[in-house]
Coordinates of all heavy atoms in Angstrom, one line a residue:
E46 N 2.6 5.1 21.1 CA 1.7 4.0 21.3 C 0.2 4.4 21.4 O -0.6 3.7 22.0 CB 2.1 3.2 22.6 CG 3.2 2.2 22.4 CD 2.8 1.0 21.5 OE1 1.7 0.4 21.7 OE2 3.5 0.7 20.6
R47 N -0.1 5.6 20.9 CA -1.5 6.1 21.0 C -1.9 6.5 19.6 O -1.4 7.4 19.0 CB -1.5 7.3 21.9 CG -2.9 7.8 22.2 CD -2.8 9.0 23.2 NE -4.1 9.7 23.3 CZ -4.2 11.0 23.7 NH1 -3.1 11.7 23.9 NH2 -5.3 11.5 23.7
L48 N -3.0 5.9 19.2 CA -3.6 6.1 17.8 C -4.4 7.4 17.8 O -5.1 7.8 18.8 CB -4.5 5.0 17.5 CG -5.0 4.8 16.0 CD1 -3.8 4.5 15.1 CD2 -6.0 3.7 15.9
D49 N -4.2 8.2 16.7 CA -5.0 9.4 16.5 C -6.3 9.0 15.8 O -6.4 9.0 14.6 CB -4.2 10.4 15.7 CG -5.0 11.7 15.3 OD1 -6.1 11.9 15.8 OD2 -4.5 12.4 14.5
V50 N -7.3 8.7 16.6 CA -8.6 8.1 16.1 C -9.3 9.2 15.3 O -9.9 8.9 14.2 CB -9.4 7.5 17.2 CG1 -10.7 7.0 16.6 CG2 -8.7 6.4 17.9
G51 N -9.4 10.4 15.8 CA -10.0 11.5 15.1 C -9.4 11.7 13.7 O -10.0 11.9 12.7
G52 N -8.0 11.7 13.7 CA -7.3 11.9 12.5 C -7.5 10.8 11.5 O -7.6 11.0 10.3
L53 N -7.6 9.5 12.1 CA -7.9 8.4 11.2 C -9.2 8.5 10.5 O -9.4 8.2 9.3 CB -7.8 7.1 12.0 CG -8.1 5.8 11.3 CD1 -7.1 5.6 10.2 CD2 -8.0 4.6 12.3
E54 N -10.2 9.0 11.3 CA -11.5 9.1 10.7 C -11.5 10.2 9.6 O -12.1 10.0 8.5 CB -12.6 9.5 11.7 CG -14.0 9.7 11.2 CD -15.0 9.9 12.3 OE1 -14.6 10.2 13.4 OE2 -16.2 9.8 12.0
R55 N -10.8 11.3 9.8 CA -10.7 12.3 8.8 C -10.0 11.8 7.5 O -10.4 12.1 6.4 CB -10.1 13.6 9.3 CG -10.9 14.4 10.3 CD -10.3 15.7 10.7 NE -9.1 15.5 11.4 CZ -9.0 15.4 12.8 NH1 -10.1 15.3 13.5 NH2 -7.8 15.3 13.4
L56 N -9.0 11.1 7.8 CA -8.2 10.5 6.7 C -9.0 9.6 5.8 O -9.0 9.7 4.6 CB -7.0 9.7 7.3 CG -5.9 9.2 6.3 CD1 -5.2 10.3 5.6 CD2 -5.0 8.3 7.1
I57 N -9.8 8.7 6.4 CA -10.6 7.8 5.7 C -11.7 8.5 5.0 O -12.0 8.2 3.8 CB -11.2 6.7 6.7 CG1 -10.0 5.7 7.1 CG2 -12.3 5.9 6.0 CD1 -10.4 4.8 8.2
E58 N -12.4 9.4 5.6 CA -13.5 10.2 5.0 C -12.9 11.0 3.8 O -13.6 11.1 2.7 CB -14.2 11.1 6.0 CG -14.9 10.3 7.1 CD -15.9 9.3 6.5 OE1 -16.6 9.6 5.5 OE2 -16.0 8.2 7.1
R59 N -11.7 11.5 3.9 CA -11.1 12.3 2.8 C -10.9 11.4 1.6 O -11.2 11.8 0.5 CB -9.8 12.9 3.3 CG -9.0 13.7 2.3 CD -7.7 14.1 2.9 NE -6.9 15.0 2.1 CZ -6.9 16.4 2.3 NH1 -7.7 16.9 3.2 NH2 -6.2 17.1 1.5
A60 N -10.4 10.2 1.9 CA -10.2 9.2 0.8 C -11.4 8.7 0.1 O -11.5 8.6 -1.1 CB -9.3 8.1 1.3
V61 N -12.5 8.4 0.9 CA -13.7 8.0 0.4 C -14.3 9.1 -0.5 O -14.8 8.8 -1.6 CB -14.7 7.6 1.5 CG1 -16.1 7.3 1.0 CG2 -14.2 6.3 2.2
A62 N -14.3 10.3 0.0 CA -14.9 11.4 -0.7 C -14.1 11.6 -2.0 O -14.7 12.1 -3.0 CB -14.8 12.7 0.1
G63 N -12.8 11.3 -2.0 CA -12.0 11.5 -3.2 C -12.2 10.3 -4.2 O -11.6 10.4 -5.3
G64 N -13.0 9.3 -3.9 CA -13.3 8.3 -4.8 C -12.4 7.1 -4.9 O -12.4 6.3 -5.8
V65 N -11.6 6.8 -3.8 CA -10.7 5.7 -3.8 C -11.5 4.4 -3.9 O -12.7 4.3 -3.6 CB -9.7 5.7 -2.6 CG1 -9.0 7.0 -2.5 CG2 -10.5 5.4 -1.3
D66 N -10.8 3.3 -4.2 CA -11.5 2.0 -4.5 C -11.3 1.0 -3.4 O -11.8 -0.1 -3.4 CB -11.0 1.4 -5.8 CG -11.4 2.4 -7.0 OD1 -12.5 2.3 -7.4 OD2 -10.5 3.1 -7.4
G67 N -10.5 1.3 -2.4 CA -10.2 0.4 -1.3 C -9.1 1.0 -0.4 O -8.7 2.2 -0.6
F68 N -8.7 0.3 0.7 CA -7.7 0.7 1.6 C -6.8 -0.5 1.9 O -7.2 -1.6 2.0 CB -8.3 1.2 2.9 CG -9.1 2.5 2.8 CD1 -10.5 2.4 2.6 CD2 -8.5 3.7 2.8 CE1 -11.2 3.6 2.5 CE2 -9.2 4.9 2.7 CZ -10.6 4.8 2.6
F69 N -5.5 -0.1 2.0 CA -4.5 -1.1 2.4 C -3.9 -0.6 3.7 O -3.2 0.4 3.8 CB -3.4 -1.2 1.3 CG -2.2 -2.0 1.6 CD1 -2.3 -3.1 2.5 CD2 -0.9 -1.7 1.1 CE1 -1.1 -3.8 2.8 CE2 0.2 -2.5 1.4 CZ 0.1 -3.5 2.2
L70 N -4.2 -1.4 4.8 CA -3.7 -1.1 6.1 C -2.4 -1.9 6.4 O -2.2 -3.0 5.9 CB -4.8 -1.5 7.2 CG -6.2 -1.2 6.9 CD1 -7.1 -1.7 8.0 CD2 -6.5 0.2 6.6
L71 N -1.5 -1.2 7.2 CA -0.3 -1.8 7.6 C 0.7 -2.1 6.5 O 1.3 -3.2 6.4 CB -0.6 -3.1 8.5 CG -1.3 -2.9 9.8 CD1 -1.5 -4.2 10.5 CD2 -0.7 -1.8 10.7

Side-chain angles (χ1 to χ4, degrees):
E46 276 293 311
R47 186 178 167 207
L48 194 64
D49 175 9
V50 178
L53 177 59
E54 182 173 13
R55 288 188 294 274
L56 185 67
I57 288 170
E58 294 305 320
R59 181 186 187 93
V61 170
V65 305
D66 298 281
F68 292 96
F69 172 29
L70 317 180
L71 298 181

